[in-house]
Amino acid sequence: MIEFSSFSFTYKGLKKPVLKNINLKIEDGEKVLILGPSGSGKSTLGNVINGLIPHAIEGKCEGSVTVEGLDVLKNDIYKINEKVGTVLQDTDSQFVGLTVSEDVAFALENLRKKKDEMEEKTMEALSLVSMQDYASSSPQDLSGGQKQRVSLAGVLVEENNVLLFDEPLANLDPATGKKTIRLIDEIHEKTGKTVIIIEHRLEDVLEMHIDRAVMIVSGEIVYNGSMNNLLKSSLLKENGIRYPLYLEAMNKAGCALENECVESLSSIDPSCYREKVRAWFEENREKEEKEERPVLLEVENISYSYDGIKNAVSDISFKIHEGEMLSILGNNGAGKSTLSSILMGIYKPDKGKILYKGKDITAYSISQKSSIIGYVMQNPNHMISQTKVFDEVAFGLRTRGVAEDDVKNTVSSVLALCGLEKKANWPVSSLSYGQKKRVTIASILVMKPEVLILDEPTAGQDYHHYTMMMEFITALSKRLNLAIIFVTHDMHLALEYTPRSIVLSSSRLIKDDDTSAVFSDEEVLKRASLKETSLFTLAKNASLDENAFIRTFIESEKKEREKNLFERVPQIVIPDNIRVDRVKKKKKKFEEGERKLKFGLSYIPLESRIHSLSGLTKFIYIFFGAFVSFTTFDLRILAVMLVLSWTLVCLTKIPLKIFKPYLILMSVMTITNDIFIYLFSPNQGTIYMETRTVLLGPEGFFYSLTLETLWYLLIVTCKYLILFPLALTFISTTHPGEFASSINRLGISYKISYATSLSLRYLPDVIKEYTHISNAQMARGVDLSSNVGPIKRAKGVASALAPLVMFSLDKIDTISNAMALRGFGRNRKRTWYSAKKLKAADWALIIFLFALWALALYMRFAMGIKFWKPF
C-alpha cells in the first residue's frame, strides 16, 4: 500500500508548495489514474512515490509518505525502488545500453546478478512485453511503442510490486498509444502489480478499466473516486481536461446517462443514445461548402533519402493554400518530420521541387526560407537560445532590426495571448516542458510568416492550454491569411482545427482529403497507425454516415469556439518592417538524385574478429600500441606496428569510406607536421643520427634535404599512421558497456567506468542534437553560412550552443534520475551484462603486444639502439 498523510512539498528555491496537504491511499493491486492540468503537481507526486523526491530532487517535505511499509523520507532511493519501478516520459533519455537486452539488464547489473541469471531474467521480461525478437537491436532504432515496451521490460526485470508510468502516451501515435495502454492492462492482469498512471490524455487511457481516478489541481487533490462519477461531473471541464469525444457528442444530443456506466462507449447501451444522436445529427447537419483559395505553396514529386538507399519520403505531391489549416498525419517513422524539414530547407530533396506562389524555392537555404515559412520544432530545447522568456520571444525581431518599442509591444501582446505574460522575466530553464513549447511558438508567431509549421504543438500541454493556443493561432491565421501546417499525432487537434489532412505511411502519401473523411476511412487509419475515433464508433452504432456525423460534430464545436473569438483574443501589433527581402542569394543548384553518405565516429556493431575480442584486450592494444609508438624510433618495430594496426582496421569489416573524414584529417595533420618539422628544423635527422648525407641542394645550404632528415620524417609519419588506426579501431569496434567493464576490471571505479562509456554512448546524440539546434536557429533567420562575416557567424553559433548546453543538462539530469531509479550506485560493486571473457585470440594478441613492447624497450635501453638505419 502507498499512503500519503498530510504531505506537502516545496521545491528548493520556491516559496510556495507544489503539493499541499496530500492525503491519499493506494491499495495493493489497484490501477489508479492521476490526472490534472499542466503544472498541477501530478508528476511531482509521482516523483515522491519513486523516491526522486527528496533523494535526488531537493526541497522541503512536510508530513509523511510510505510505500509498501517503507518511509520514503527516511529510506534511500534504492530501497524505495526495490518496491517501485518507474517508466519515465522521455524513453530516449533513460536508455543506457546500446542493445535492448543490455538496457533491460541494467538493473540486474546493479543488483550484482550473475550473467547467466541476467540473460534468463532479461529474456523473460522481454517475452512478457513481446520484444524478445529485438534483444540485439539498438533501442534508438525502435519505434515509439517498441521503446515503451523496452522501458517497461527494464522495470519488470526487477520484480517490483508497484509500476509507475509518467505520461506513457507522450509522443506516441494514436494506434501505438492504444496498444501501450492495453499492454499495461495486460501486465497488470498477469502480475497483479499496483499500477499508477500519470496522464492527461483521458480518452486514450480509457482503453482500459481504471479502478480509481485521482485529480490534482494546483497541488491539491480535488477528486478521489471512481472514473464513472468523475466523467459525469463538471470537474474535468472546469479544470481543462478534455471529456471523451463520445461523451461530448452525447451531451450535445441531450442523452440521459445518469444510470449508465460511461467509462467507455461499449459500456453504454446503444438504446440510451441512438435516437437522440440521430435527431441531433439531422437537426445540425449542414451542406458541406469548400472555399477556394489561391495556392501558396506547392510540393511536386518530392523524394528524399538519408542514406541514399531507403527513401524517408517518396514521390510526395500536394498543395497548400493561403490561410489554410491542415494536418500531416501518420505513424512514427512515416516521414512527417522529414517532409516538414524539407519544406523548411533543413534538407534538400533528392528529386522534386517546392514552389512558392509559382516560384521554385527548392534550393533556398533555411535562413532564406525563414522569411516565408515559420517552423516550430517538436522539442522546445532545440530552439531556445536566450535566458529570459521575453528575450527569447524577442530574439527574431531583434535579429531583423525592429525598433525596440515595437519589439516590446509585439512581444507583450504575444506573451499575453500565450498565457505567459506573468512569466516574461522568468528564466526559461524554470518553465515546464509545455510552457517552453508555448515560448517557442510565440517566438515564431511574432515574425508574421506566411506559412507556419508546428511539429507536435500540443505535446506536453493539457486541453485548456492547447485550446487557448489553438484559438489564438486560428484567429491569427484569419487575420493574416496565414497558412498553418500541423505535424501531429493528436487526433483531436486534427479533427477540430484542420479541415484537411494529408496522411503518410511508409514514406508515401496515402490520402489527401477532408479530415473527417480521413477518420472515416478504416483502411487508411490502419495503414497510418491512427485509430478510429469514438465519434466514428458512435456514428456506426447509430447507423449514421460516419463522415457526415464527424464533420457535423466538429462544425458544432467550431461554432461554439468561434463565438466572440476575435473579441476574446487581443489584437496583436506586428510592425510591417520585420520582413526581410525574400532572397538575397541563391545557393549552388542542388543536383537531383545526389546520394549522401553519413560519417560518424562511434561504435559500429558488426560481426568481425576484432569485434569479438574483449574490450580489455582492445584497451591493452591501444595502450601498448601508443606506448610503443611514443617510445621507439626503430623503424623495424614501427613497421610491425603499422602493419598490425592497418590489418586490424581491415579485419573490422568496416568500409574505409566510413572513416574518410578522419583519414583526410590524418593525412593533413601528418603532412602539415612533416612540413613544419622541415621548415623549423631541417637538420633534425642529422642531429639525431650524427651523419649527414645530402640528397638535394648544396652541401652547406640550411634547407638542403638530407637522407637522415627524410628518414626521420618517415619515422614520424609512421607514428601518426599507427596512432590513427589504433583510435579508429578501438572506438568503432568496442562496445561502450564492454569498455566500461574492462577498465573496471583493471581497478577503475565502476562509476567512473560507466561515466566514460556513457560519454561514448551519447557523443553521436550530442552531435546530432547540435545539428538540429543549428537548423532550428537558422529557421528563425540566424545565418550560419559563409555568406556573413565572422563576427555575425560567431554570434549565430553561440545562439546554437546555448540551447545545446540546456539540452545536455536536461539529458544528464534525466539520465541520472533514470539510472538512480534502476539502482545505479546501490552497491560498492556491480556486474556487467556485456562483459566478455578472454579467449585464445585475446591472449594471443595481448602476448604479442607485450612481447613487442618488451622488445622495443630492450632494443632502446639495453642495446642502446635509438634509431635503426640501413644506410
Side-chain angles (χ1 to χ4, degrees), residues 2 72 119 486 613 751 807:
I2 300 170
V72 170
E119 289 177 348
F486 299 98
L613 292 173
K751 293 182 180 179
F807 161 80

Side-chain angles (χ1 to χ4, degrees), residues 315-375:
D315 199 29
I316 290 179
S317 300
F318 62 92
K319 296 177 181 179
I320 300 167
H321 303 87
E322 291 182 3
E324 182 180 23
M325 297 179 71
L326 77 154
S327 292
I328 300 178
L329 305 172
N331 56 302
N332 290 348
K336 304 185 300 298
S337 294
T338 302
L339 177 59
S340 58
S341 296
I342 291 171
L343 291 176
M344 192 56 236
I346 292 174
Y347 304 133
K348 298 295 188 295
D350 292 336
K351 68 175 183 178
K353 55 186 178 180
I354 302 169
L355 304 177
Y356 165 68
K357 294 183 178 178
K359 185 175 182 179
D360 190 349
I361 61 169
T362 311
Y364 288 3
S365 67
I366 305 173
S367 56
Q368 288 169 336
K369 284 185 179 176
S370 67
S371 58
I372 302 169
I373 304 171
Y375 186 28

Side-chain angles (χ1 to χ4, degrees), residues 27 35-36 89 110 188 225 464 485 496 547 550 623 655 672 715 742 748 757 779 844 847 867 871:
E27 301 292 340
L35 71 163
Q89 176 181 347
N110 300 320
H188 176 263
H464 171 72
I485 303 172
E496 295 178 314
N547 185 356
I550 292 173
F623 175 79
T672 303
I715 291 170
S742 299
I748 305 297
S757 75
I847 291 171
F867 286 93
F871 51 87

Side-chain angles (χ1 to χ4, degrees), residues 88 96 134 169 240 243 347 370 422 443 759 795 801 866:
L88 298 175
V96 292
Y134 296 86
L169 304 181
Y243 283 94
Y347 304 133
S370 67
K422 294 182 180 179
S443 70
S759 299
K795 289 181 179 179
L801 289 176
K866 184 176 182 181

Side-chain angles (χ1 to χ4, degrees), residues 81-153:
N81 283 284
E82 289 176 1
K83 308 291 184 181
V84 182
T86 305
V87 178
L88 298 175
Q89 176 181 347
D90 185 358
T91 54
D92 284 333
S93 292
Q94 56 189 312
F95 290 133
V96 292
L98 277 187
T99 65
V100 166
S101 57
E102 183 194 5
D103 192 83
V104 172
F106 180 75
L108 299 176
E109 293 176 318
N110 300 320
L111 290 169
R112 301 185 65 186
K113 300 294 184 182
K114 294 182 179 179
K115 187 164 183 177
D116 290 346
E117 184 180 356
M118 282 195 284
E119 289 177 348
E120 181 182 349
K121 287 183 175 293
T122 295
M123 291 311 297
E124 286 177 0
L126 286 172
S127 297
L128 201 57
V129 297
S130 302
M131 287 295 291
Q132 65 273 20
D133 294 337
Y134 296 86
S136 60
S137 301
S138 167
Q140 305 302 329
D141 293 336
L142 303 177
S143 68
Q146 289 171 331
K147 288 178 180 178
Q148 284 285 10
R149 287 172 179 265
V150 172
S151 297
L152 179 52

Side-chain angles (χ1 to χ4, degrees), residues 4-8 19-24 45 219-221:
F4 288 78
S5 180
S6 302
F7 181 81
S8 297
L19 295 177
K20 306 168 189 175
N21 196 35
I22 301 295
N23 290 284
L24 175 66
L45 186 73
E220 298 180 280
I221 294 178

